[in-house]
Amino acid sequence: MSVEFDQIVIEPAYRKVAAAIGERILDRSLREGERLPPETELARQFGVNRSTVREALRELESTGLVIRRAGSKRMAISRPQHDAVAEGVSRALVLHDVTYLEVWEALMILEPPIAEAAARERTPADLAQAVAAAGRFAADNTDTAQAAHHVAEFFRSICKAAHNQVLGLAQEPLLQLLEPSLRVMMDQVPQSRSRIEAAQRRLCDALRARDSDSARTWMSRHIRDFRKGFEVAQIDLQQRITS
Amino acid sequence: MSVEFDQIVIEPAYRKVAAAIGERILDRSLREGERLPPETELARQFGVNRSTVREALRELESTGLVIRRAGSKRMAISRPQHDAVAEGVSRALVLHDVTYLEVWEALMILEPPIAEAAARERTPADLAQAVAAAGRFAADNTDTAQAAHHVAEFFRSICKAAHNQVLGLAQEPLLQLLEPSLRVMMDQVPQSRSRIEAAQRRLCDALRARDSDSARTWMSRHIRDFRKGFEVAQIDLQQRITS
DNA sequence: AAAGGTCGGTTTGTCGGACAATGATACGAC
DNA sequence: GTCGTATCATTGTCCGACAAACCGACCTTT
C-alpha cells in the first residue's frame, strides 16, 4: 500500500502566462502576422503585473513564437523561422562537444538522399535557384567567408527542391556548424574550390535531367570531398567544434 | 554611386544582457552546473535594472542555457537538453504545416543509416539497452499511449548506439511528432504491434551480430511498415500534423 | 490629390523601490 | 555529529513612473 505521489511542480506565473499564450498560437487562435494585445491589456486579462507579462513575452520571443518586427513597436505572432530554430540546435550541439566527424557523418547520411529527392521533386524554379546559387559560388573568387556562405546556400537550394521541410530543418544546423570550417578549408586548400564547383555543376545537371541516381552519387562524392579537404587542411575530425 | 546603408538595428538592453551571458556560457567561461550570480549582482555588473536582467534570464532560460534546478532558488548554467531543443523544432514544424508524409520521408532517410551505424558502433551496453527497450514494448500489451512511447524509446536506444549526437538531435523531433500518430495507428490496427515487435527483435539481432546490412534492411522495412499502418488506419499522409 | 509635415495618444523599454515566500546558512542545543 | 532554529539571501511578483518611439489622424503645400 505504498501510495506514489506525483512530484509537485511549482510553476512561476511568467511561465504559465507564456504557456497560455503559446498554446493559443499553437492551436491557431492567434494567427501569424496578427499583433499581440498590448502588455497592459495582457496583464489585465491574466490578472498579473506587466513585469510578469514581459518575462513571459521574452520567453515566447526567444522561442520564435512572437517577434518584434523591425522598426515596429507592437509584437506580432509569428512562426519560428527555420534558421533561428536551427541556431538553437547548433548551440546545443556545440555545448555538447559535437565533433567535426559527427557532423560529417550526418551530412553523409542526409545529403545524398536529399539530392535524390530533389532531382525527383524539383520544379523549374527550384532548378533555376540551384543553378543561380552555384553561379554565385563560381563567380566569387576572392572572399572565402562569402564563398563558404555560398556553399551553404547551394545546399539549401538543393534541399528546397526536395520539398520537405523536415529535411530542411534537419540540415540547417549542420550547415551552420559546417560554414566556419569550410572557410578554413578553402583558405588552406585552394584547389577545393574547383572541386566544389565541379560537384555543384554535376548536381545541377542531375537536377535538370531529373536523374536521381546521378544526383545521389555526386552529392555523395561532394560530401566525401569535404572530408578529404578537411584532412588536407589538417582539421582534426575528432576535434570538437567551437562555433 | 548609390551608397548602401546597413540596416540599423536597435537592440534592447535585455537582449544585450542575454547575449553577453550567453556568450560567456558558449565560450565556457561559465561552466555547466556552476551557479549564476544573483540577479541584483548581475544588474550591478551590467549597470541595468534587475527587471532588465530578469527579462534576459527568461530568454536564456527558454534557450536552455540556464536552468532552475528543481527546488532550488539560484539559477544554474546548463547545456540545452536534447529533448527540449527538439521540442522547439517540433513546434516549428507543426506551425509550418508539416505533413505526416514529410516526417515519414525523413524517417525513411534517417533511420536505416542510423541502424547501420548502430550495428557497427554499438557497445555491449548499447545492445543491452536496445534489448531492454524492445522488451518493454513487448511486455506492455495494454496501454497504447505507453506502447507508443516505448516505440520511440526503442528508436532512441538504437540511435544512442550509433554514437552520434547530431543524428540523435535530428531524430528526436521526428519521434516527438510521430508518437501521437503511433497511438492512433496501434489503436486502429491491432496487428501492428506484432509487426513492430518482430522488427525490433530483428534489429536487436542485427545489433548483436554487428550486422550493419541486416540492421539497415530491417529498419527500412520497419519504417515502411509504419506507412502501411498509417494507410490501413486511414491516417491521411498529406494531412498536416496537429501536435 | 499626392507628398510631406505636425501633433497627440499608445505602447514599449527601462527604471526605482517594495515585499512575501522560501532556499541557504550559521549557530546553538542535545 | 544530528537536529532544530534563527537569520540572511535571493527570487517571484507587484506597483508606479517616465522617456522614447511608433501610430494614426489631421493639416499644409504644391
Side-chain angles (χ1 to χ4, degrees), chain A residues 88-216:
Chain A
V89 178
S90 306
R91 244 200 321 265
L93 287 171
V94 167
L95 279 172
H96 282 279
D97 299 325
V98 71
T99 65
Y100 286 104
L101 183 60
E102 285 173 289
V103 172
W104 180 83
E105 277 179 5
L107 279 173
M108 199 65 204
I109 287 178
L110 265 180
E111 296 299 337
I114 288 179
E116 185 180 333
R120 209 171 45 234
E121 308 286 347
R122 65 97 181 153
T123 64
D126 294 328
L127 174 61
Q129 283 191 20
V131 171
R136 277 193 295 276
F137 173 75
D140 191 339
N141 285 332
T142 52
D143 188 358
T144 358
Q146 198 61 22
H149 180 68
H150 288 325
V151 172
E153 279 297 317
F154 181 74
F155 278 109
R156 290 192 187 96
S157 73
I158 295 286
C159 194
K160 185 141 170 284
H163 292 118
N164 184 320
Q165 301 181 63
V166 182
L167 297 175
L169 200 39
Q171 175 196 50
E172 188 57 34
L174 304 186
L175 298 182
Q176 289 183 6
L177 293 175
L178 192 67
E179 223 181 287
S181 52
L182 271 183
R183 266 205 292 281
V184 177
M185 187 184 85
M186 286 194 289
D187 276 333
Q188 305 278 321
V189 193
Q191 65 270 32
S192 64
R193 285 199 184 222
S194 61
R195 306 234 1 145
I196 294 176
E197 216 178 304
Q200 290 187 349
R201 213 168 24 237
R202 299 295 194 139
L203 279 164
C204 285
D205 290 346
L207 251 64
R208 191 174 295 110
R210 292 193 186 281
D211 183 344
S212 341
D213 286 341
S214 165
R216 172 189 268 276

Side-chain angles (χ1 to χ4, degrees), chain B residues 155-238:
Chain B
F155 278 109
R156 290 193 187 96
S157 73
I158 295 285
C159 194
K160 185 144 171 283
H163 293 120
N164 184 319
Q165 301 180 65
V166 182
L167 297 175
L169 201 39
Q171 176 197 47
E172 188 56 35
L174 304 186
L175 298 181
Q176 289 183 5
L177 293 174
L178 192 66
E179 224 181 286
S181 53
L182 271 183
R183 265 205 294 280
V184 177
M185 186 183 84
M186 287 195 289
D187 276 333
Q188 305 279 321
V189 193
Q191 65 269 31
S192 63
R193 285 200 183 220
S194 62
R195 308 247 342 160
I196 294 176
E197 217 177 302
Q200 290 187 350
R201 211 168 26 239
R202 298 295 194 142
L203 279 163
C204 284
D205 290 346
L207 251 63
R208 189 175 297 111
R210 294 194 185 282
D211 183 344
S212 345
D213 285 341
S214 165
R216 171 189 269 275
T217 309
W218 276 102
M219 185 57 96
S220 238
R221 289 188 196 159
H222 189 29
I223 306 286
R224 243 190 288 270
D225 254 15
F226 281 146
R227 176 163 188 170
K228 244 176 271 168
F230 283 159
E231 281 162 2
V232 176
Q234 304 201 308
I235 298 176
D236 181 5
L237 285 169
Q238 303 287 344

